[in-house]
Amino acid sequence: MSFQDGDTQAAALMAVLDLDERESDVFVGLTPRTSLQRIFGGQVAGQAIMAAGLTVPEERPVHSMHAYFLRPGDPQANIRYVVDRIRDGRSFSTRRVLAYQERRGEEVAIFALTADFHAAETAVASHTLPMPAVPGPDELHPVEEYAARHEGLAGPALEIGRAVDQRPLEDPFARVPKTPPHTQTGAWMRVSGQLPDSRAVHAAALTFVSDLTLLGAGFARLEAGGAHTAASLDHAIWFHAPVRADEWFFYETDSPAATGGLALCFGQIWAQDGTHLATVAQQGLIRSLEH
């Protein structure tokens, strides 16, 4: 299996999110074939939130998730997700998910997630961030057009995000260093094809997509061409409204702080009609390869 297989890219992504329940609250997820040395973090996060969602009624969707990447995932091995039903109250359900892989004959945790689920109530306070004024997706170029100008440089990014249609505001492979107060980066995104009408599936798909470009905000103020490596350490999402990941949404990212080798990155996601869908946060490790 790879993101090139199947009738549509959405079908390929669904093959990743369609977990196999091996026993009660224990699910196994597959990894698409890639040339990468470690599993894309968004895949593990998406599968984990999917596993949690499969143990909660559909009418009680996820409203927040908080996760840590504990070890790099091995793309040659399946992942086992164990769900702990921490709480089922009158208004909220809480789940903890640990993802395991085998290392040298021993099963070890590679990822940990806690997610909370809640059916929407009548709002007392109601406010969201307005979407910035940006060109629509039809006015922008697909990321593949930019990648064609930078042979070799864009390969890994395209391989990870092959199931996702991306229309960045600017060439992501010829970055111009950003300076305050304009340090944001943005792109329109959607899963290519049509996903099933399931809030759990769309939340998991958005989780997958949310990790594609977020850590890049930590590099936005740096000169292009430097030799750096980066790794996601944690990931959090707050869902503000029902999401359709197979329809265009605008994803704006920024990094308010980078210190001690760690970059804190935030993302805001809006639907094409301006509805504020989600807020994303991540801290990542950024290291120079020149020392």
Side-chain angles (χ1 to χ4, degrees):
M1 177 185 63
S2 76
F3 282 140
Q4 297 182 17
D5 297 331
D7 296 330
T8 68
Q9 304 298 349
L13 181 57
M14 276 308 304
V16 174
L17 298 179
D18 188 17
L19 306 179
D20 180 18
E21 187 170 12
R22 298 291 174 87
E23 54 186 283
S24 179
D25 296 345
V26 177
F27 303 86
V28 172
L30 304 178
T31 299
R33 292 192 302 269
T34 72
S35 63
L36 304 179
Q37 298 301 306
R38 62 186 183 190
I39 294 176
F40 167 53
Q43 175 203 317
V44 183
Q47 288 180 327
I49 200 67
M50 190 73 207
L54 290 172
T55 69
V56 179
E58 178 78 7
E59 61 269 18
R60 188 173 283 192
V62 62
H63 76 86
S64 69
M65 58 151 282
H66 304 262
Y68 283 90
F69 300 98
L70 306 177
R71 293 179 174 88
D74 179 1
Q76 304 305 316
N78 292 338
I79 309 172
R80 192 169 73 96
Y81 297 92
V82 180
V83 181
D84 183 4
R85 302 188 186 215
I86 295 177
R87 176 182 180 234
D88 283 301
R90 289 189 300 174
S91 300
F92 293 89
S93 293
T94 305
R95 299 291 185 264
R96 180 171 57 218
V97 182
L98 286 177
Y100 294 93
Q101 283 191 315
E102 189 172 301
R103 297 286 191 277
R104 300 175 182 176
E106 178 184 3
E107 194 173 58
V108 298
I110 66 167
F111 180 82
L113 172 143
T114 301
D116 213 35
F117 299 76
H118 171 248
E121 303 177 15
T122 301
V124 175
S126 183
H127 56 265
T128 58
L129 286 176
M131 186 172 73
V134 295
D138 294 337
E139 302 175 58
L140 300 171
H141 299 288
V143 70
E144 290 82 4
E145 290 189 16
Y146 291 113
R149 308 172 191 171
H150 307 278
E151 185 176 354
L153 180 63
L158 291 184
E159 190 169 10
I160 292 172
R162 196 171 297 280
V164 182
D165 192 351
Q166 301 181 55
R167 306 288 176 91
L169 295 182
E170 56 196 314
D171 187 342
F173 309 110
R175 180 172 37 82
V176 176
K178 296 182 180 295
T179 57
H182 304 294
T183 54
Q184 302 87 357
T185 301
W188 289 96
M189 297 182 173
R190 66 178 177 185
V191 174
S192 302
Q194 185 172 1
L195 295 171
D197 290 328
S198 162
R199 292 187 69 170
V201 166
H202 285 272
L206 190 78
T207 300
F208 176 95
V209 177
S210 70
D211 193 36
L212 283 173
T213 60
L214 185 55
L215 191 50
F219 293 92
R221 307 185 195 201
L222 301 178
E223 293 286 343
H228 303 99
T229 184
S232 303
L233 300 178
D234 57 19
H235 199 80
I237 304 177
W238 295 265
F239 297 87
H240 310 311
V243 169
R244 285 226 45 123
D246 55 3
E247 296 180 356
W248 286 115
F249 57 86
F250 184 70
Y251 191 16
E252 181 181 83
T253 62
D254 200 0
S255 176
T259 59
L262 304 179
L264 178 63
C265 303
F266 285 110
Q268 303 293 344
I269 299 176
W270 292 270
Q272 198 167 6
D273 66 1
T275 301
H276 192 195
L277 298 176
T279 296
V280 190
Q282 182 177 99
Q283 192 172 51
L285 175 67
I286 295 179
R287 285 176 173 162
S288 172
L289 296 176
E290 297 175 349
H291 301 291

